[in-house]
Amino acid sequence: MSYIDKIIAQIEKKDAGQPEFIQASKEVLESLRIIVDKDSIYEKAGLLERLIEPERLIVFRVPWVDDAGNVHVNRAYRVQYNSAIGPYKGGIRFHPSVNQSIIKFLGFEQTLKNALTGLPMGGGKGGCDFDPKGKTENEVMRFCQSFMTELYRHIGPDTDVPAGDIGVGAREVGFMYGQYKRIVNNFTGVFTGKGLTWGGSLGRTEATGYGLVYIVNEYLKGKDDGFKGKKVVISGSGNVAIFAAQKAISLGATVISMSDSNGFIFHKDGINLDSIKEVKLVKRERLTKYAELHKDAVYTEASKGRVWDIACDIALPCATQNELFIDDAKSLVKNGCKIVGEGANMPTTMDATDHLLQNNVAFFPGKAANAGGVSTSGLEMSQNSTRISWSFDEVDSKLKTIMAGIFNSIDSAAKEYGKPGNFVLGANLAGFKKVAKAMMDQGVI
Ligand code: NDP
């Protein structure tokens, strides 16, 4: 049995109840055969066993009191996955689906993603099975304060620097950071995604969505092409989706569809982004509201149709993990889609990814395509450490350079290992090589 097969068997046995973690780690391990099976140095160093096992996994309870005086207890996690190339870095997710498997898969992916950015950041991730939807502002604040009352002892500007993710935006980061500062009596850059008046970076809000469009654009530029005139379908209507739409539109594309967890809108002549922002970011309402405001937009409930059935040139899944399945991939191919870029983490299942690759769809995996967010978080950390603030244009131009660098490194790795255009392989290999080298240099720790 090869080293890789041994590790996969070990994960399937030891982590049997963790489907998302098995899915993410298997996808990476399969790509690594090309390097690891050829060189016994990795097995001798127990490199994969160490890469796959988080350095630390913290599980804690979050008790809080709702407005009516009822006590609730949620379960929270912080996984400090790998610190070989820098302090742990990765977002915090508040969603009822959060569990150990999801947090581990996200932390593992984050380790390789952060390596791809070229910035000195290790991998981490956190979250809680708390649902901010339908909670009052005061309930969200009390919850965030309770969450941080435990988390504060595990993080620090040179130890572990969290950020937002699903269900954690500027509001939640503010409540958590405020509580952290109150407890430790120290104003440091321990969080990214902070408000602009208290240490945040211009461009961080837009970074993940913009970065996604930049990396796809880099690929298109190599083909003397661009977003101009392209029809784009985007899933989700949160932070990543909205700013991906904004950048795609500014480059001349027409975004014809967006979704939320209840359904999707199809707006043939192009969605009105100001309206989407008002509905989702300001009023925190459902997309049905958008359809009420725009009579020529068609709304379809999630149970009655798939956003991926809409014909498009470029599809950008930006909602959540496992939201683009094999039948969706077949539909996209059949309808002429040429590019899929993952704004979300692992939105595409493995068989769907394979189908897209086999049909020559340029597929950009999340660990490369959505790395713009954490890259700009890295830039926020640099600004905090040096106590300066860069302009939006300075940050945006650094982001563009980073995304172009990521494209070049995944493109070159895919070519070097004989699979040109396979950016899944390219991203896994380029990220792995960097983390593995740092781990080897630092001995068995
Ligand atoms: P948000 O909470 O801002 O938005 C998430 C969006 O996805 C919402 O529109 C939400 O709909 C929708 N959604 C969530 N769960 C489901 C589901 N099960 N089915 C369908 N739609 C769903 O999160 P972000 O935009 O920040 O994150 C989206 C993805 O991008 C995640 O995978 C995240 O890990 C990844 N990511 C985020 C980064 C960032 O900087 N924010 C950085 C890198 C990756 P509804 O409104 O109904 O809840």
Side-chain angles (χ1 to χ4, degrees):
M1 193 187 258
S2 76
Y3 183 33
I4 297 266
D5 286 324
K6 248 179 11 204
I7 299 297
I8 290 178
Q10 179 189 311
I11 294 170
E12 283 177 337
K13 188 164 167 229
K14 258 179 140 173
D15 300 311
Q18 300 178 11
E20 293 85 1
F21 174 64
I22 293 174
Q23 181 184 344
S25 49
K26 253 173 119 168
E27 183 222 273
V28 171
L29 288 166
E30 288 295 347
S31 308
L32 301 184
R33 286 186 193 282
I34 219 159
I35 295 185
V36 171
D37 281 350
K38 289 202 180 97
D39 194 342
S40 60
I41 188 174
Y42 296 108
E43 186 163 11
K44 277 198 197 113
L47 200 275
L48 293 183
E49 288 87 335
R50 290 190 283 131
L51 182 74
I52 228 66
E53 193 69 26
E55 289 177 19
R56 196 171 297 109
L57 173 67
I58 301 146
V59 185
F60 55 101
R61 71 163 185 248
V62 185
W64 60 281
V65 183
D66 68 21
D67 290 348
N70 304 307
V71 174
H72 300 263
V73 177
N74 286 96
R75 182 174 295 170
Y77 307 84
R78 183 75 187 165
V79 66
Q80 298 182 329
Y81 223 102
N82 191 303
S83 60
I85 60 174
Y88 310 109
K89 179 88 197 85
I92 287 179
R93 176 177 292 192
F94 292 162
H95 194 271
S97 64
V98 164
N99 58 31
Q100 190 165 316
S101 171
I102 288 180
I103 294 301
K104 274 179 65 188
F105 114 67
L106 289 166
F108 179 63
E109 288 275 302
Q110 193 82 44
T111 301
L112 298 178
K113 179 190 310 189
N114 293 0
L116 286 174
T117 67
L119 300 174
M121 298 181 292
K125 198 80 189 187
C128 185
D129 59 3
F130 171 75
D131 188 357
K133 272 198 208 112
K135 307 289 188 300
T136 65
E137 186 106 343
N138 279 332
E139 287 172 335
V140 171
M141 182 174 72
R142 283 196 295 276
F143 170 81
C144 288
Q145 290 173 339
S146 179
F147 181 88
M148 188 48 73
T149 301
E150 173 57 33
L151 188 69
Y152 88 93
R153 70 191 78 240
H154 306 290
I155 61 177
D158 296 313
T159 310
D160 183 353
V161 184
D165 191 74
I166 292 180
V168 178
R171 176 182 69 171
E172 291 76 16
V173 169
F175 293 150
M176 286 191 270
Y177 185 73
Q179 181 73 349
Y180 175 84
K181 187 168 60 64
R182 187 177 183 203
I183 296 172
V184 303
N185 192 27
N186 210 332
F187 197 109
T188 55
V190 77
F191 244 94
T192 58
K194 299 188 291 300
L196 292 177
T197 55
W198 42 280
S201 173
L202 285 162
R204 174 60 187 91
T205 309
E206 296 84 352
T208 309
Y210 276 25
L212 170 63
V213 172
Y214 289 155
I215 200 169
V216 171
N217 202 37
E218 199 60 31
Y219 163 80
L220 285 168
K221 271 189 337 205
K223 305 202 162 307
D224 287 329
D225 201 352
F227 269 82
K228 200 166 171 32
K230 299 279 186 300
K231 285 200 170 9
V232 180
V233 161
I234 298 180
S235 66
S237 45
N239 173 269
V240 180
I242 284 176
F243 291 103
Q246 182 160 305
K247 185 49 74 179
I249 292 168
S250 79
L251 294 179
T254 306
V255 175
I256 52 175
S257 183
M258 292 184 81
S259 69
D260 64 18
S261 42
N262 295 99
F264 63 91
I265 41 159
F266 171 51
H267 206 160
K268 188 165 64 61
D269 298 325
I271 53 141
N272 179 321
L273 197 60
D274 287 339
S275 237
I276 293 268
K277 284 183 178 173
E278 180 70 15
V279 170
K280 298 304 289 189
L281 298 181
V282 181
K283 301 212 165 116
R284 294 175 191 265
E285 286 181 308
R286 317 306 303 155
L287 277 181
T288 40
K289 187 76 195 168
Y290 179 93
E292 281 169 28
L293 296 170
H294 300 272
K295 297 293 175 209
D296 52 338
V298 181
Y299 178 81
T300 307
E301 276 175 34
S303 59
K304 300 202 172 120
R306 304 285 298 158
V307 69
W308 312 120
D309 287 340
I310 298 170
C312 63
D313 303 301
I314 301 175
L316 303 175
C318 295
T320 191
Q321 68 274 354
N322 292 335
E323 52 153 328
L324 198 163
F325 299 96
I326 179 72
D327 288 343
D328 303 322
K330 286 182 180 163
S331 229
L332 286 169
V333 169
K334 192 173 90 208
N335 291 328
C337 176
K338 293 282 179 284
I339 298 175
V340 173
E342 294 189 320
N345 285 309
M346 205 170 72
T348 317
T349 58
M350 258 169 102
D351 51 355
T353 304
D354 289 343
H355 185 79
L356 294 169
L357 290 174
Q358 281 154 15
N359 285 279
N360 298 321
V361 173
F363 180 84
F364 293 87
K367 66 172 76 65
N370 69 35
V374 74
S375 300
T376 308
S377 280
L379 300 178
E380 184 173 330
M381 288 164 74
S382 302
Q383 292 170 81
N384 291 165
S385 299
T386 48
R387 300 199 192 285
I388 52 168
S389 300
W390 294 324
S391 68
F392 182 91
D393 287 346
E394 277 177 284
V395 175
D396 192 43
S397 127
K398 288 182 202 305
L399 171 65
K400 263 189 210 150
T401 307
I402 291 171
M403 296 313 294
I406 295 176
F407 175 73
N408 287 333
S409 78
I410 64 174
D411 188 40
S412 313
K415 285 177 180 149
E416 183 186 341
Y417 290 96
K419 300 268 182 193
N422 186 335
F423 303 127
V424 174
L425 191 90
N428 288 339
L429 291 174
F432 169 77
K433 277 170 79 174
K434 186 163 176 203
V435 178
K437 167 90 175 75
M439 289 175 72
M440 296 292 241
D441 288 351
Q442 292 169 27
V444 178
I445 48 166

